[in-house]
């Protein structure tokens, strides 16, 4: 059995946060230990122009996307003041930053958010997007893609469940706007030439890409457009008791593709050359080279995430800045609050 296979099947049994670098840090009187490679996610807004059948962000919320509305700081200037304050507060931790949502590029706050990230000289900058507004002109002749490049973003994660446009639209259910393969043919080389590395993110689904043959076709299709980095993700496992979006839960249960089964087939295919594996506190990643493309494959388990955090309540694994101004150790905006937003009194 290879080293990949050993960790593949033991996974979280082998993870020990106390073997990682931990930094003592005070969050407004709450003394915590922070994972040394902590990521700081800015959840820009819950609005999205797609209603993906699998949407993990909606699992904890009601059925209809319209009911999925997070409270937020309404005043723009107050929001930016608060984000600036929090970024300054966590600066000693030398965080990496990820911009996410909803669809972050559709927010009117998007430009100023990435300007603030640049102002704080964040060491690694990533955005996750469905790509639909990357070519939209928002600042004179500049597009959102130009702004990301100008503000020195490192990684551009674009969600695309299938290379077949009809299948992709059926799964991701766009209401308006779309990132077509024609758009990607412009975005990928343009970004690469200017130091912003694009990566396509494909969720494995029985309705979509679900086996090694499908993965190979997906890779080869987008390799022709210049992509050199793709991640295939398994649908997350989760605790049914904490989820209430029945539509998303039912779809995910019907469409679950187990990466353990896919990996067995990958092991038999010499085109996939093992490169590296990575064990996180609730996720496991195997990386391969397929021709000239770096291929990642990731499984994750929200149940393990909850258990791990419950067993180490003084440890911060990740940080999320929510639209309501709270900084949390959780993707739920009223759980595990590290820095609570209090509106400043008007003098």
């Amino acid at each position: 059995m290879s080293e990949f296979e050993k960790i593949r099947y033991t996974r979280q049994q082998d993870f020990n946060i106390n073997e990682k670098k931990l930094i003592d840090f005070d969050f407004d009187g709450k003394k915590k230990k922070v994972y040394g490679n902590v990521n700081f996610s800015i959840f820009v807004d819950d609005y999205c122009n797609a209603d993906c059948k699998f949407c993990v962000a909606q699992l904890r919320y009601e059925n209809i996307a319209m009911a999925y509305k997070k409270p937020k700081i309404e005043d723009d200037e107050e929001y930016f003041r608060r984000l600036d304050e929090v970024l300054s507060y966590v600066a000693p931790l030398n965080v990496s930053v990820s911009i996410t949502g909803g669809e972050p590029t559709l927010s009117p706050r998007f430009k100023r958010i990435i300007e603030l990230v640049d102002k704080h000289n964040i060491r690694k900058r990533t955005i996750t997007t469905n790509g639909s507004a990357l070519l939209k002109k928002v600042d004179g002749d500049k597009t959102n893609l130009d702004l990301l490049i100008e503000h020195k973003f490192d990684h551009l994660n674009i969600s695309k469940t299938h290379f077949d446009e009809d299948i992709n639209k059926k799964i991701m259910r766009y209401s308006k706007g779309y990132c077509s393969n024609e758009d990607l043919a412009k975005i990928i080389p343009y970004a690469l030439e200017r130091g912003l590395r694009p990566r396509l993110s494909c969720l494995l689904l029985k309705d979509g890409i679900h086996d090694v043959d499908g993965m190979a076709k997906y890779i080869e299709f987008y390799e022709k457009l210049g992509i050199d980095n793709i991640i295939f993700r398994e649908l997350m496992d989760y605790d049914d008791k904490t989820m209430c979006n029945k539509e998303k839960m039912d779809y995910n249960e019907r469409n679950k593709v187990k990466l353990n089964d896919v990996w067995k087939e990958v092991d038999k295919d010499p085109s996939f050359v093992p490169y590296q594996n990575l064990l996180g506190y609730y996720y496991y990643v195997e990386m391969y080279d397929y021709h000239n493309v770096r291929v990642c494959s990731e499984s994750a388990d929200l149940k393990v995430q909850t258990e791990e955090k419950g067993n180490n309540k003084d440890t911060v694994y990740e940080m999320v800045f929510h639209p309501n101004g709270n900084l949390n150790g959780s993707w739920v905006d009223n759980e595990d609050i590290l820095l609570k937003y209090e509106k400043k009194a008007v003098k």
Side-chain angles (χ1 to χ4, degrees):
M1 184 180 286
S2 69
E3 286 303 311
F4 268 32
E5 290 174 289
K6 287 178 186 175
I7 299 177
R8 178 187 300 170
Y9 294 113
T10 55
R11 287 232 243 310
Q12 266 58 45
Q13 296 172 32
D14 293 340
F15 183 83
N16 184 352
I17 189 64
N18 294 309
E19 294 176 353
K20 309 295 182 182
K21 179 185 176 183
L22 297 173
I23 303 166
D24 291 320
F25 200 75
D26 188 304
F27 290 94
D28 199 18
K30 295 190 264 312
K31 297 188 182 303
K32 300 280 188 177
K33 295 183 181 299
V34 180
Y35 176 42
N37 194 30
V38 69
N39 186 66
F40 182 108
S41 294
I42 300 173
F43 190 101
V44 175
D45 196 347
D46 45 39
Y47 173 74
C48 188
N49 60 327
D51 181 22
C52 299
K53 293 182 178 181
F54 54 80
C55 184
V56 174
Q58 289 184 32
L59 276 173
R60 288 190 176 95
Y61 298 89
E62 294 297 337
N63 254 3
I64 347 178
M66 289 299 292
Y68 169 56
K69 292 292 178 190
K70 290 175 179 284
K72 65 180 181 180
I73 299 173
E74 296 292 343
D75 182 77
D76 285 348
E77 295 309 314
E78 177 63 9
Y79 173 86
F80 293 121
R81 183 203 65 76
R82 174 60 175 171
L83 177 57
D84 192 23
E85 174 184 76
V86 173
L87 285 169
S88 296
Y89 196 101
V90 302
L93 293 169
N94 193 27
V95 297
S96 57
V97 163
S98 298
I99 309 292
T100 185
E103 177 45 50
T105 59
L106 294 175
S107 169
R109 293 176 173 174
F110 176 68
K111 179 175 182 287
R112 287 184 63 182
I113 288 172
I114 64 173
E115 287 173 349
L116 271 177
V117 170
D118 195 11
K119 170 192 167 184
H120 285 272
N121 199 27
I122 301 299
R123 65 177 173 87
K124 188 172 79 170
R125 309 165 197 188
T126 302
I127 180 170
T128 296
T129 170
N130 62 35
S132 57
L134 287 174
L135 297 177
K136 180 183 177 183
K137 291 184 179 180
V138 290
D139 186 13
D141 285 335
K142 292 180 183 176
T143 63
N144 279 317
L145 182 59
D146 289 320
L147 294 179
L148 289 166
I149 293 164
E150 179 182 330
H151 295 293
K152 306 185 230 16
F153 269 65
D154 303 288
H155 300 286
L156 171 64
N157 291 330
I158 303 173
S159 300
K160 190 86 172 177
T161 59
H162 209 285
F163 53 85
D164 183 301
E165 299 284 35
D166 290 335
I167 296 174
N168 189 61
K169 288 177 181 177
K170 186 176 180 181
I171 294 171
M172 296 186 74
R173 301 192 298 191
Y174 288 82
S175 58
K176 58 181 178 179
Y178 184 65
C179 183
S180 66
N181 289 327
E182 185 178 351
D183 291 334
L184 287 173
K186 299 173 186 174
I187 290 166
I188 291 165
Y190 188 87
L192 281 170
E193 287 166 8
R194 290 159 179 81
L196 173 60
R197 192 180 188 196
R199 177 170 76 170
L200 293 184
S201 177
C202 175
L203 198 63
L204 295 170
L205 299 166
K206 289 180 181 176
D207 282 352
I209 303 298
H210 57 269
D211 56 17
V212 174
D213 182 59
M215 289 167 62
K217 289 176 180 175
Y218 186 103
I219 296 164
E220 290 165 8
F221 184 94
Y222 287 111
E223 184 180 16
K224 291 174 184 174
L225 302 189
I227 204 73
D228 68 356
N229 193 6
I230 293 172
I231 184 165
F232 294 98
R233 288 190 165 96
E234 179 183 277
L235 276 164
M236 284 191 185
D237 289 316
Y238 51 84
D239 186 346
D240 291 355
K241 295 188 292 293
T242 65
M243 305 299 167
C244 63
N245 189 319
K246 192 169 187 309
E247 178 201 7
K248 300 305 192 265
M249 287 169 60
D250 289 348
Y251 182 83
N252 288 357
E253 286 170 10
R254 289 196 310 272
N255 272 274
K256 177 82 169 183
V257 175
K258 294 182 179 179
L259 259 174
N260 276 359
D261 296 335
V262 175
W263 281 326
K264 285 180 185 176
E265 298 307 309
V266 167
D267 291 340
K268 300 173 188 174
D269 190 333
S271 298
F272 288 87
V273 180
Y275 173 74
Q276 188 180 12
N277 57 1
L278 173 68
L279 181 63
Y281 78 102
Y282 71 101
Y283 55 88
Y284 171 67
V285 179
E286 291 193 8
M287 289 176 261
Y288 300 85
D289 286 327
Y290 184 96
H291 300 164
N292 296 310
V293 181
R294 177 62 45 82
V295 179
C296 300
S297 48
E298 178 188 85
S299 69
D301 190 336
L302 291 176
K303 290 181 290 186
V304 170
Q305 181 190 52
T306 301
E307 291 166 6
E308 176 74 21
K309 290 169 70 174
N311 293 334
N312 299 280
K313 292 182 179 178
D314 67 335
T315 303
V316 177
Y317 295 82
E318 59 187 337
M319 293 185 284
V320 183
F321 181 80
H322 289 278
N324 67 357
N326 286 344
L327 178 70
N328 299 51
S330 167
W331 286 91
V332 180
D333 56 16
N334 60 358
E335 287 180 2
D336 194 11
I337 299 173
L338 302 172
L339 295 174
K340 185 172 179 60
Y341 168 67
E342 301 288 353
K343 187 173 182 179
K344 301 291 183 188
V346 178
K347 296 181 180 179

